[in-house]
Amino acid sequence: MSRMFSLVAGLALAVTVFGCAETVKEKKVQIKTPTDPLVPAVTILEQYANGQPMGSEATSFPNLVEELRKADPAKADILQKGLDDLQKSPESARAGKAKALLEQLKPAAKSP
């Protein structure tokens, strides 16, 4: 019995020592954030166009407009006006207004 115990204890010790001997390689992972400042606004507008009610994300509207203003002031003005209109609209009209605003914010078609 003590031989069996010694064998099991020795095996457990060997597994512990050799099992922990491997080194773990650390790997750095970069997370890419969207570089287009219009992406967050479009995401929210698509949700409204699909019928999602307006929630706490409305508090981020001024920041969305300001970030877009740095890249495209004309679209920022369109977004500002559209978001203001959405906030004042009854919930039943928001989906249609969000779809219309998305159309206005689409990039212009490039000519060949």
Side-chain angles (χ1 to χ4, degrees):
M1 175 96 167
S2 69
R3 259 184 147 177
M4 183 67 130
F5 178 74
S6 297
L7 182 60
V8 171
L11 185 58
L13 180 63
V15 168
T16 304
V17 170
F18 291 114
C20 295
E22 271 187 53
T23 58
V24 176
K25 288 186 177 181
E26 289 187 26
K27 186 176 179 181
K28 292 187 178 188
V29 178
Q30 284 188 317
I31 299 173
K32 294 182 180 180
T33 55
T35 54
D36 184 359
L38 191 56
V39 170
V42 167
T43 301
I44 291 172
L45 290 171
E46 286 173 344
Q47 291 170 350
Y48 293 159
N50 290 327
Q52 178 178 320
M54 189 174 291
S56 62
E57 71 281 353
T59 60
S60 69
F61 290 172
N63 187 42
L64 292 173
V65 172
E66 288 310 310
E67 288 300 314
L68 182 57
R69 192 169 305 285
K70 294 174 188 174
D72 191 340
K75 282 192 179 178
D77 291 339
I78 294 168
L79 180 63
Q80 176 71 57
K81 185 175 183 268
L83 291 174
D84 290 344
D85 189 31
L86 276 173
Q87 286 180 305
K88 294 174 187 173
S89 301
E91 194 169 329
S92 60
R94 284 195 189 126
K97 290 187 182 231
K99 288 176 187 176
L101 182 54
L102 282 168
E103 287 297 318
Q104 291 177 359
L105 293 173
K106 277 187 179 177
K110 294 180 181 178
S111 302

